[in-house]
Amino acid sequence: MTVPFLDLPRMHQPLLDEIDAAISGLIAEARFIGGPAITAFEQAFARTCDVKGCVGVGNGTDALTLALKVLGIGPGDEVVVPAHTFIATAEAVSNVGATPRFVDIDEKTYTLDPKCLAAVDTTKVKAVMPVHLYGQPADLDPIMTMSKKHGWRVIEDCAQAHAARYGERTAGSMGDLAGFSFYPGKNLGAFGDGGAVVGNDLELLDRLRRVADHGRQTKQAHGEIGLNSRLDSIQAAVLGIKLKHLDDWNRRRARAASWYDERLAGISGLTVPYRAAGRTHIYHLYVVLVPDRNALQSALNEVGIQSGIHYAIPLHLQPAYAHLGYAAGDFPVSERVTATCLSLPMFPDLEEAQVDQVATAIRDHMRAGG
Ligand SMILES: Cc1ncc(COP(=O)(O)O)c(C=O)c1O
């Protein structure tokens, strides 16, 4: 029996009639940009995130770029970014003409290590972007304390953390602004690209909405140079239907994670995900560390089990950032995690028997000297 990495068709199956009807309605009205489907989704998603406002945008990278832009980050500024994340976090910084300043991650949670902030040369730093990587919130309290001290803005990268929680607070509600991605494979995914910016400063969000719509002040007047990055109404309708199931899907992901935890416990050489006390991990990804990651991935592949690598190269060693002059050895935890991480199948409908199958294959491989 093969085990897919992600089973989106199965997740969507029970919702197809409702989604078909919503899309057909929008096609009949030819309502593709703007309109009530957008407003309804934005309001519902703001409630999910425990914030006052939400602006739907074209994708998660634009969400982060727009957030930085309206917070006034630009050329000459530096933004602290963890060295281990998807490249989009740093790309957003580069998109506004600022420079990412990489720091290492915590060795247990794989999120930005607040201890590393103390060593940062703060002269040009204007903001920090904690990433709630794999679905577990970064340690926001010390990051916020440090940011207050230096007057830094905080932009949460919530692309992998829809409705994750840090104590009593929801991911996206703690920083100045937060960016979400609705890329199809995310815990809340569209039927194409999509993203959102959320926050509590409605004036700032209103400006962001205008910047994302060509900097429009009125139909004809453009107050500033913006971009075209709007969530379209078909995506908003799909997301609105899927949002009603997000909590249940997140719970089922966490249940699958606990099956993995149980079955993978005690395998020598294998590190399972750590759950920091007080944080609700929503398991966008279930990532293990194993010394010979590539061999394990091939062994799983041979028995029909798909897996992924998130991510194989830390950002400070990406060719795109070679000009910043970082070197191997600069961020040892990020380098170790990128060299050894493997993402196992994870989706709400993952069955206990499938987890058994994955765990048995891993145990067999490791026992054979993996
Ligand atoms: C951590 C992180 N940040 C940002 C993004 C960018 O989102 P998008 O692909 O929607 O542009 C992603 C997703 O791909 C991500 O995983």
Side-chain angles (χ1 to χ4, degrees), residues 59-61 64 85-86 88-89 131 157 159-160 181 186 194 311:
N59 55 66
T61 311
L64 297 170
T85 170
F86 183 54
T89 319
V131 181
D157 182 339
Q160 303 188 3
S181 164
K186 303 298 191 205
Y311 303 89

Side-chain angles (χ1 to χ4, degrees), residues 21 33 100 136 142 157 164 238 248 310 348:
I33 305 283
Q136 173 152 245
D157 182 339
V238 170
D248 178 49
H310 302 86

